[in-house]
Amino acid sequence: EKGAFKHFMLKEIFEQPEVMKRALEGRISQGHLLEQAWGVGASAYFDQVKQVQIVACGTSYHAGMIARYWIESIVGIPCNVEVASEFRYRDVVLPQNTLLITLSQSGETADTLAALREVKQRVLASLAICNVPGSSLVRESDLALMTNAGPEIGVASTKAFTSQLVALLMTTLILARRTGLKPEQEAQIVEALIGLPTLIQSLLSLNDSIAKMAEAFAEKHHALFLGRGTLYPVAMEGALKLKEISYIHAEAYPAGELKHGPLALVDKDMPVVAVAPNNDMLDKLKSNLQEVRARGGELFVFTGCEQSIRDEEGVTTLTLPAVHPLLEPLAYTLPLQLLSYHVAVLKGTDVDQPRNLAKSVTVE
Ligand code: F6R
């Protein structure tokens, strides 16, 4: 039931502190991850992994793209990510000892399931990260990690996505144990994970400011989302949410690609959303943003505290609390979920049941 909330989507966004707690429950003991949670025989498989292949669709694919940054930087082994509808029909080369990770909230997505069946015999092991116990994907995979987000009614995924990110970050740490992550480093990241419910709770208090920001989008037909590093897939997810429920055409670009084409689109009618935490990419991103301003584009920037980007004519900023760099994709997803929600409400669309879309895509 929706309770006090006007839509399931809003309720599910606000459930995320609790969802973060559940995603960690039973997986942590005394500051360390419990490998048994990944399934019987998981440890023996993980010992042999030499590369990771992630396959998923839609929002789940965006979670996979974020995980690639984590796996290559923390585990230090190659990681590929592909949408299932392409992967399954391609002549894919899978090096020895590949761990296949399929990501799906429903566990019934036709293309993802077909991709698993297609390569199952050619991989070291298959791991399903999934929100539905007993789903086809879970039953047919060697290993499974449940995201425990609880049922999601809104067609546009919110809490299922953030719970996938937690599962993927934990999986990254488990693999990184094999490639030199020290117990004290693991403990430090686990501590940050334990702080997630509190962090997400504090982000929800931005709701009113974001509702106000949404007014600038309701009359627009296009929007551009920019990010770098793990925030690039976050920008993609932000753009997908806006498309799905407000029917505004939105595209995401890695900010460095701006001048290679999309800058031609920027004018006063094209709002540009940037996800820009205070990381080492901020200076680069700032110069991309100046290019937008120079063309009269209106900027909406989600940034960290002690920000060096300030409100000025045509620039609206929203400051997020400081977060552990690994948690940035989780933290910056929240405001983008709220932004698309409020734009949709202003436009009067059917937020929970957007036109032409189904919650579970069981046909190709
Ligand atoms: C968008 C959304 C979809 C799904 C996609 C895959 O908000 O929810 O893009 O992510 O249809 O579904 P699952 O994750 O069930 O495999």
Side-chain angles (χ1 to χ4, degrees):
E1 258 320 294
K2 283 183 290 204
F5 293 99
K6 197 167 159 203
H7 296 98
F8 280 108
M9 184 182 178
L10 190 62
K11 171 177 177 262
E12 288 159 1
I13 291 173
F14 273 79
E15 261 170 42
Q16 286 175 108
E18 191 52 40
V19 168
M20 298 293 98
K21 220 179 277 173
R22 284 206 302 270
L24 298 169
E25 231 161 53
R27 278 91 195 245
I28 293 174
S29 168
Q30 301 185 334
H32 293 280
L33 294 168
L34 299 166
E35 279 190 18
Q36 313 83 285
W38 276 252
V40 182
S43 299
Y45 284 130
F46 291 153
D47 287 344
Q48 301 172 62
V49 175
K50 290 273 186 299
Q51 82 134 20
V52 176
Q53 173 71 57
I54 300 177
V55 177
C57 301
T59 286
S60 298
Y61 168 68
H62 297 154
M65 282 189 68
I66 292 167
R68 170 165 50 176
Y69 288 87
W70 287 336
I71 291 171
E72 296 209 345
S73 79
I74 306 172
V75 190
I77 62 172
C79 175
N80 289 317
V81 191
E82 193 164 348
V83 287
S85 56
E86 286 301 314
F87 180 86
R88 64 178 286 200
Y89 290 118
R90 212 161 62 73
D91 295 319
V92 177
V93 177
L94 290 165
Q96 269 206 334
N97 291 2
T98 294
L99 172 69
L100 175 72
I101 302 182
T102 55
L103 287 171
S104 173
Q105 357 151 12
S106 63
E108 302 296 345
T109 300
D111 283 321
T112 309
L113 203 50
L116 167 67
R117 290 173 182 159
E118 189 64 34
V119 301
K120 210 178 151 171
Q121 306 308 326
R122 295 198 277 141
V123 294
L124 168 72
S126 51
L127 165 65
I129 293 183
C130 187
N131 196 34
V132 180
S135 60
S136 306
L137 203 66
V138 168
R139 281 186 279 112
E140 295 183 30
S141 298
D142 301 311
L143 305 170
L145 186 66
M146 291 303 130
T147 46
N148 296 339
E152 192 176 61
I153 310 291
V155 164
S157 181
T158 53
K159 62 175 184 169
F161 174 73
T162 47
S163 69
Q164 284 174 338
L165 291 180
V166 174
L168 284 163
L169 187 49
M170 292 192 298
T171 305
T172 302
L173 298 181
I174 289 288
L175 292 173
R177 279 179 179 174
R178 273 100 181 151
T179 58
L181 185 77
K182 303 204 171 63
E184 57 273 22
Q185 293 171 307
E186 179 179 320
Q188 205 189 16
I189 301 170
V190 165
E191 196 180 301
L193 280 170
I194 293 170
L196 261 176
T198 314
L199 170 69
I200 301 292
Q201 192 63 51
S202 72
L203 292 168
L204 291 171
S205 66
L206 299 172
N207 190 33
D208 291 344
S209 324
I210 295 170
K212 198 155 182 328
M213 194 187 258
E215 292 166 13
F217 291 78
E219 302 295 319
K220 296 290 196 291
H221 297 288
H222 307 275
L224 197 59
F225 285 69
L226 301 176
R228 279 177 174 264
T230 52
L231 281 302
Y232 164 48
V234 169
M236 292 174 79
E237 175 57 11
L240 179 65
K241 287 292 91 102
L242 193 67
K243 278 187 261 220
E244 282 184 290
I245 61 169
S246 75
Y247 315 146
I248 292 174
H249 167 229
E251 268 195 273
Y253 267 88
E257 277 290 291
L258 191 62
K259 57 164 84 61
H260 299 288
L263 194 56
L265 293 169
V266 173
D267 63 12
K268 64 175 186 3
D269 295 321
M270 175 80 133
V272 177
V273 178
V275 267
N278 285 342
N279 57 27
D280 48 8
M281 297 307 273
L282 185 63
D283 280 340
K284 294 237 183 299
L285 195 116
K286 269 164 57 185
S287 71
N288 302 138
L289 299 185
Q290 272 155 14
E291 290 160 358
V292 170
R293 272 312 293 149
R295 272 93 193 160
E298 206 177 335
L299 270 172
F300 297 87
V301 189
F302 295 91
T303 187
C305 46
E306 289 162 35
Q307 48 161 326
S308 44
I309 302 174
R310 297 186 196 290
D311 276 3
E312 54 179 272
E313 168 79 22
V315 184
T316 308
T317 62
L318 209 130
T319 305
L320 273 65
V323 298
H324 189 288
L326 290 172
L327 303 187
E328 280 167 359
L330 276 147
Y332 283 75
T333 291
L334 256 280
L336 298 188
Q337 293 173 343
L338 286 167
L339 180 65
S340 63
Y341 172 77
H342 289 295
V343 175
V345 169
L346 287 171
K347 292 197 68 175
T349 60
D350 189 345
V351 172
D352 288 330
Q353 291 284 336
R355 66 187 184 198
N356 313 340
L357 298 178
K359 183 69 187 162
S360 187
V361 186
T362 52
V363 290
E364 283 194 49

